[in-house]
C-alpha cells in the first residue's frame, strides 16, 4: 500500500512542478538555517571529555578577605591556597594550572623569536585530561619536584619549528632558559579549552575566547614559575600587588586547581577536606568566609561559566523561528494543493477509499516533499557551515557536520514536512464525495 501511495504522491508532485519546488525550497531553506546554527550549538555545548568529565572537579576556596556582597568564591586560587591544597595529595590526580605569555626560539630554527602561551602545570595534567602524544611523553613527578628544565610542545609548534619531525631531545630557549623537549603532542583540539575556563559569569555572554586553541608550550609548574617570573597576570586582586607580574604570595588569585576523584566517597571526602582547610585558614585570619567553598564537576563548571556564547544561542533561536515561518508557508501551500484536488479525492472516496487512506496518501506526499527538502537542506547546511568557518571567530575551525547532526537533518526535515502536512491531510480526508461529484 505504501508503494501505491508513493506512486500517487510522485505523480501529484510532478503535476505541479512550480508549487512542488516552492514547498521543497521552503523546507530546505528552513532546515539549512536551523541545522547550521544547531550544529554550531551542538559542537560548542558538548562534553569535552565524555566518560571522564564526571570525575574531574574544579576546587574553589573563598580567599578574598573582603568579599563584600559577592556570594560565589573567586574563580581562581591564590598561590598559598593552591599549594596547600595540592600538597595534601587527597585526590587520585591533581594539577595546578597557570597560563602566561613567553618569548621562545629554537637554536635550530631560522624563525625569529615567537611570543606564545605557556602552560605551567603538574605531570598529572596529561593523564587527567587524556592529552594525546605524537612523540615522547610527559615529564615525571620527580621533574615536578626538581624543577627540571623540560618542555612538552604542541603539534602546531613542532610543525612550525621542526617541520613535524620528531623533535624530542632538541632544545628550546624559553626567555633566558634552555629547556629540553621531552614530548610532542598529537593534534589536540578540546572544545572548549575547558581546563582554563574561568570568569565566564563576568563576560556578559562574550565567551568565544574559551574556544581558542590550546597552549603551545607545557612546562613543570615550579619550573614555569622560575622561568617566567615577572610575567604572570592575575585574575583579580583584593589589594594592590606590590610587584606586578611577580604573584607568588601576592594578594591576588591567579592559579587553577583541577582534581580527579574517581568515586563519590572520594568527592565527599575531598569536599570535607576543602571545608576543613578553609576553616583552618579562617582561624588564621586569611579567609573571611570559611563556609564558602565549591567543588564543581567539569560540566557543572562549564555551565556555571556559561561557556556557549550568547550570540550563538540567539542565532539558534532565530533560525528555528525562521523554520517555523517556513513551516507555516508550507502548510498553506499544501492546503492549497490538496483542496485543488478535491474533485479527484471525491472520486477516490466514491470508489471506496477510506478517510484514513486519503489521510495516509496526503502524508506520504508531504513526507516526499520533506525528504527532498532535507537533501537540499543538507547542502544548504554544509554551505552555512562553510560560511561559519570563514568567519573570524575562535570556534570557526570546529564547524563541521558530524554523523549525529547528519541524521538529525533528515529527521527534522521529515518531521517538519509531516507536521506541515497534518492539517491539509485532515482537511483533504474530510472532503464530502457526493458534493464533489456533483461539481464534476
Amino acid at each position: 500500500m505504501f508503494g501505491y501511495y508513493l506512486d500517487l504522491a510522485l505523480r501529484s508532485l510532478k503535476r505541479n512542478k512550480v508549487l512542488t519546488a516552492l514547498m521543497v525550497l521552503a523546507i530546505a531553506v528552513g532546515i539549512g538555517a536551523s541545522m547550521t546554527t544547531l550544529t554550531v550549538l551542538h559542537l560548542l555545548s558538548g562534553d569535552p571529555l565524555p566518560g571522564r568529565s564526571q570525575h574531574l572537579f574544579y576546587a574553589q576556596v573563598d580567599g578574598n578577605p573582603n568579599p563584600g556582597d559577592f556570594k560565589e568564591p573567586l574563580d581562581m586560587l591564590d598561590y598559598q591556597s593552591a599549594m596547600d591544597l595540592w600538597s595534601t595529595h587527597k585526590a587520585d590526580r591533581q594539577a595546578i594550572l597557570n597560563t602566561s605569555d613567553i618569548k621562545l626560539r629554537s637554536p635550530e630554527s631560522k624563525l625569529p623569536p615567537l611570543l606564545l602561551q605557556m602552560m605551567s602545570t603538574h605531570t598529572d595534567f596529561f593523564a587527567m585530561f587524556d592529552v594525546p602524544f605524537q612523540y615522547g611523553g610527559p615529564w615525571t613527578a620527580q621533574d615536578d619536584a626538581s624543577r627540571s628544565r623540560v618542555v612538552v610542545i604542541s603539534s602546531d609548534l613542532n610543525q612550525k619549528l621542526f617541520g613535524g619531525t620528531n623533535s624530542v631531545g632538541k632544545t628550546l630557549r624559553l626567555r633566558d632558559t634552555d629547556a629540553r623537549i621531552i614530548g610532542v603532542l598529537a593534534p589536540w583540539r578540546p572544545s572548549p579549552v575547558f581546563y582554563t575556563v574561568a570568569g565566564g559569569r563576568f563576560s556578559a555572554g562574550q565567551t568565544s575566547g574559551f574556544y581558542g586553541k590550546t597552549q603551545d608550550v607545557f612546562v613543570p609548574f615550579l619550573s614555569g614559575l622560575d622561568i617566567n617570573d615577572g610575567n604572570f597576570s592575575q585574575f583579580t586582586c583584593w589589594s594592590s600587588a606590590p610587584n606586578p607580574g611577580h604573584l607568588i604570595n601576592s594578594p591576588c588569585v591567579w592559579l587553577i586547581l583541577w582534581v580527579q576523584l574517581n568515586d563519590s566517597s572520594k568527592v565527599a571526602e575531598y569536599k570535607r577536606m576543602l571545608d576543613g582547610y578553609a576553616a583552618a585558614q579562617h582561624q588564621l585570619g586569611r579567609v573571611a568566609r570559611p563556609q564558602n567553598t565549591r567543588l564543581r564537576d567539569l560540566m557543572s563548571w562549564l555551565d556555571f561559566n556559561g561557556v556557549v556564547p550568547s550570540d550563538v544561542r540567539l542565532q539558534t533561536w532565530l533560525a528555528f523561528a525562521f523554520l517555523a515561518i517556513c513551516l507555516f508557508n508550507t502548510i498553506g501551500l499544501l492546503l492549497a494543493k490538496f483542496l485543488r484536488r478535491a474533485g479527484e479525492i471525491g472520486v477516490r472516496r466514491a470508489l471506496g477509499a477510506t478517510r484514513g487512506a486519503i489521510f495516509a496518501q496526503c502524508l506520504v506526499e508531504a513526507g516526499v516533499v520533506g525528504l527532498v527538502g532535507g537533501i537540499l537542506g543538507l547542502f544548504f547546511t554544509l554551505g552555512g557551515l562553510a560560511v561559519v568557518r570563514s568567519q573570524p571567530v575562535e570556534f570557526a575551525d570546529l564547524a563541521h557536520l558530524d554523523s549525529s547532526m547528519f541524521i538529525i537533518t533528515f529527521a527534522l526535515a521529515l518531521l517538519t514536512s509531516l507536521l506541515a502536512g497534518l492539517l491539509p491531510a485532515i482537511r483533504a480526508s474530510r472532503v464530502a464525495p457526493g458534493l464533489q461529484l456533483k461539481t464534476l
Side-chain angles (χ1 to χ4, degrees), residues 79-152:
Y79 178 78
Q80 182 175 341
S81 298
M83 291 302 293
D84 287 347
L85 294 172
W86 182 83
S87 300
T88 62
H89 296 288
K90 292 291 186 183
D92 293 297
R93 289 189 177 116
Q94 56 181 355
I96 300 175
L97 283 66
N98 173 263
T99 58
S100 58
D101 292 333
I102 192 165
K103 187 170 70 174
L104 69 83
R105 65 183 177 84
S106 166
E108 300 181 30
S109 172
K110 296 180 180 179
L111 289 176
L114 304 172
L115 185 63
L116 299 173
Q117 269 210 329
M118 179 178 76
M119 169 65 73
S120 305
T121 185
H122 292 97
T123 182
D124 280 354
F125 172 89
F126 300 99
M128 193 159 57
F129 297 141
D130 199 22
V131 183
F133 276 81
Q134 186 173 10
Y135 302 116
W139 58 81
T140 64
Q142 179 61 34
D143 290 324
D144 276 328
S146 61
R147 301 171 182 250
S148 297
R149 290 338 189 213
V150 293
V151 59
V152 170

Side-chain angles (χ1 to χ4, degrees), residues 194-266:
F194 57 89
Y195 53 85
T196 58
V197 166
R201 57 188 166 129
F202 304 113
S203 60
Q206 305 303 310
T207 53
S208 296
F210 291 149
Y211 294 88
K213 295 188 176 180
T214 60
Q215 294 71 33
D216 286 298
V217 181
F218 299 79
V219 297
F221 179 68
L222 295 177
S223 305
L225 299 192
D226 292 342
I227 293 170
N228 213 22
D229 189 26
N231 291 282
F232 296 107
S233 299
Q234 68 275 9
F235 179 78
T236 188
C237 300
W238 49 83
S239 62
S240 299
N243 297 303
H246 303 268
L247 298 181
I248 295 176
N249 298 323
S250 68
C252 304
V253 291
W254 56 294
L255 299 173
I256 288 172
L257 174 62
W258 281 100
V259 296
Q260 179 177 330
L261 303 165
N262 290 336
D263 58 56
S264 57
S265 63
K266 290 182 178 178

